[in-house]
Every structure is written in C-alpha cells, then in structure tokens.
Amino acid sequence: MIQLICLFAVAVLVVVRVPHAFTSEAARPAWWATASGVVALTTYGIPVPFTTYDLFLGSSNITTLVRDLAAVSAFWFFREALARRAGSVGRFGSRWGLAVISAVCVVSFLLIQNKGTTDVAFITNRLDQTFVWIYGSAYMASLIWISLSAILLAAKNWRGVQMTFIIGFTSVIIGCVLEIGYLTASHFGYGGQSFRYLAWNTSELPFFLGLLIIMAGVAWIAIVTPSRRRILVSKLHHIAQQNELSQHGPENLGVVRRLFSEKKMLARASELVRLLDKAQRHGNFHPSSRETYIIGQVKQFLTPDPEFSPMVLGKAA
C-alpha cells in the first residue's frame, strides 16, 4: 500500500514538473529523480504485475536489477538537485559516480548463480549465495552514501522545507541499515525464512516512509509554493484595481496568462509592488492591515533572505 502511495505522489510530481524541466536546466535533475522513481516503483506490481514486467524482460529476475538501478538514479539525481541548490555539485555530483555505482550493481547481479525464473522475493530467497548478499548490500550502501550526502547538503540551510528532506533521508538511511543488517544476518545463517520476510517488511517501512516525506517536501516546492505565490500576486492585482492604480480592459485579459508563467508572474509582482509603493508615498494609497500583509508577503518572495534562499528544484522555495 505504501508503495502505491509513493508511486502516485511521484507520478503527480513528474507531470507537474514537466514544463519547468523543459524550460529550466536547473530543474531537470529533480525531474529525472521523480521520473526514475516512477520506473522503480512500477516494478512493485503497480500498475503492471511483477510477473508481467519480468516476462517482458525475459523472466530472469532482471526486473530486480532494473528497479534497483532506477532507485539509485532517483536518489542520485535528487541529490544533484540539492547540490545545485547549494552551489556545490563537486566531484560527487559527477555522473561518473552514478555510472560506477550502477556498474557495481550490474556486475554483482550478473555474478549471481541460478537466477531462476521470476521471483518477487528474488533477493530474500537466495541469501545463501555470497553474490546475492554482496549485491543487496552494495545497493543499500550506495543509497546510504547518497542519502548522507543529501543530508549534508540540506543541512547547510536547515530551515523550512530543508528539514523535511533531512528527516526523509534519515528515515531512508534507517531502512537501508536495517536491510543490510538482515541481509548479513540471513546470509551467515541467522534465523530462518520467516525471519527474512519479517526483517524485510520491517526495513521497508522506514524506507518508504522516508520517500513519502521527501516527496512531501518536493510537492511543497513544486506545487504549494508556486500556487501560493500566484494567489498572492492575484490578490495584489485586485488591490491595485480596487484603488484604481491598475488599468482595466485589455490588461486584465493577460493576467491569468502572466500568472501561469513563472518569469512573467515575478515581473508582474515586481511591477505591482513598485506601483503600490509609489502610490503610498504620494498619499494616493492607504493600505489596510490585510493589504499591508499581502504586499509584505509578495516582497518577501521577491527579495528572499540572502542567507536562506532554498533553490532546491531550480527555483526559490
């Protein structure tokens, strides 16, 4: 069930972020992260059954590898989005790092003996094999590494939505550590099959809970914040009209179109703020407390705090 919720959330973000991903290079890593996340989550049997998915790939459990590579890519690209926000993509942000991690996963997977036919619990049912243990542990370790790096980047400006990312990635790390623990214990003979499934299900809970928390942070930036800004600018436009400071007629026809465009919306907001400030200085505008609050909120996102300008997805949060 939690996988379905995650899939729905990520799919919505993929659709919502498409226009911005095309127009802004800085927003593309976050979009690729969500797109890769969709690929990974669909392998859990929703909406296509796992057996059908694997049948398409040759019924040799390659779906497990596809899922894990897509998950690594999703984490990597989101980490890159955070790095761009922090202005420090650095060596770790190089796509060569992603290539190396992917190569390790592919090689260790190919070394697994007797892969057999389609098996939803492919890893859990073959933990007696050393390369299965290595593959599963390497995959989890790579997610821990990427998540730790993302936390360090988010911690540079830990207020607001950044704290959401820190909590989300921390929960993911807990899930990964639990999974490495059960993989290792099972490989070396501790517990039986029931222990394996119990430990597997236990480790998935904090992992997917962390994903949901991260997606909530992304949704706040991608959907809630832009919507709130447009509502504020729309109210500001209405205030200017009420005080006969904004022209009527043809100009109003383009207001909605302007608010849909991020750049035009910001330009319109700046124009309205200057117009209202000028009118107030000349004594032609006497704002109420509500109007003062709206103007202040618009000014706040036009001139963000230089010490905290969260550009996580290529645009201010």
Side-chain angles (χ1 to χ4, degrees), residues 15-288:
V15 175
V16 169
R17 298 299 296 175
V18 165
H20 200 59
F22 273 102
T23 58
S24 173
E25 183 180 354
R28 287 170 194 166
W31 187 84
W32 280 114
T34 52
S36 299
V38 167
V39 173
L41 290 167
T42 53
T43 63
Y44 281 91
I46 305 168
V48 180
F50 183 88
T51 52
T52 304
Y53 211 125
D54 200 57
L55 177 64
F56 178 74
L57 296 175
S59 298
S60 56
N61 291 299
I62 293 295
T63 302
T64 299
L65 178 61
V66 171
R67 176 179 60 212
D68 295 346
L69 291 178
V72 168
S73 297
F75 276 81
W76 184 276
F77 281 114
F78 190 74
R79 184 267 168 206
E80 185 175 319
L82 286 171
R84 285 175 180 267
R85 167 255 176 273
S88 58
V89 177
R91 183 182 301 177
F92 188 86
S94 168
R95 302 289 167 80
W96 284 108
L98 176 59
V100 170
I101 293 175
S102 299
V104 170
C105 289
V106 170
V107 171
S108 57
F109 184 86
L110 293 177
L111 290 173
I112 295 174
Q113 301 295 317
N114 302 319
K115 296 183 182 65
T117 55
T118 301
D119 186 354
V120 176
F122 173 74
I123 299 296
T124 304
N125 291 334
R126 290 168 175 77
L127 277 173
D128 55 312
Q129 291 191 43
T130 299
F131 282 110
V132 172
W133 169 61
I134 291 174
Y135 170 77
S137 299
Y139 164 57
M140 287 290 108
S142 66
L143 295 187
I144 291 173
W145 183 26
I146 296 170
S147 297
L148 280 173
S149 177
I151 288 173
L152 292 175
L153 288 167
K156 292 181 179 180
N157 286 317
W158 57 269
R159 291 180 289 172
V161 73
Q162 302 293 81
M163 183 56 69
T164 303
F165 295 134
I166 292 172
I167 294 171
F169 278 111
T170 300
S171 183
V172 167
I173 289 173
I174 292 172
C176 291
V177 170
L178 288 175
E179 183 151 346
I180 290 177
Y182 106 77
L183 289 172
T184 303
S186 296
H187 175 67
F188 288 100
Y190 178 82
Q193 199 73 354
S194 58
F195 165 77
R196 293 183 182 185
Y197 281 100
L198 176 62
W200 180 25
N201 291 328
T202 301
S203 66
E204 282 199 331
L205 182 59
F207 181 86
F208 284 103
L209 180 61
L211 286 185
L212 279 177
I213 294 172
I214 293 169
M215 288 304 103
V218 176
W220 183 268
I221 294 173
I223 300 173
V224 177
T225 297
S227 299
R228 180 174 176 272
R229 286 180 172 183
R230 282 159 175 76
I231 291 172
L232 285 170
V233 176
S234 178
K235 289 181 178 179
L236 201 64
H237 178 80
H238 185 63
I239 291 170
Q241 281 189 332
Q242 281 185 323
N243 290 272
E244 299 182 350
L245 299 173
S246 180
Q247 296 179 358
H248 294 267
E251 182 189 3
N252 293 329
L253 299 177
V255 169
V256 174
R257 180 173 54 83
R258 290 187 186 187
L259 294 184
F260 269 109
S261 168
E262 180 76 9
K263 291 182 179 179
K264 290 181 179 179
M265 183 271 293
L266 292 174
R268 179 58 176 165
S270 180
E271 176 187 341
L272 288 170
V273 167
R274 289 196 302 268
L275 184 68
L276 292 171
D277 279 349
K278 181 179 179 181
Q280 189 174 2
R281 287 196 306 270
H282 292 168
N284 298 324
F285 174 52
H286 304 283
S288 64

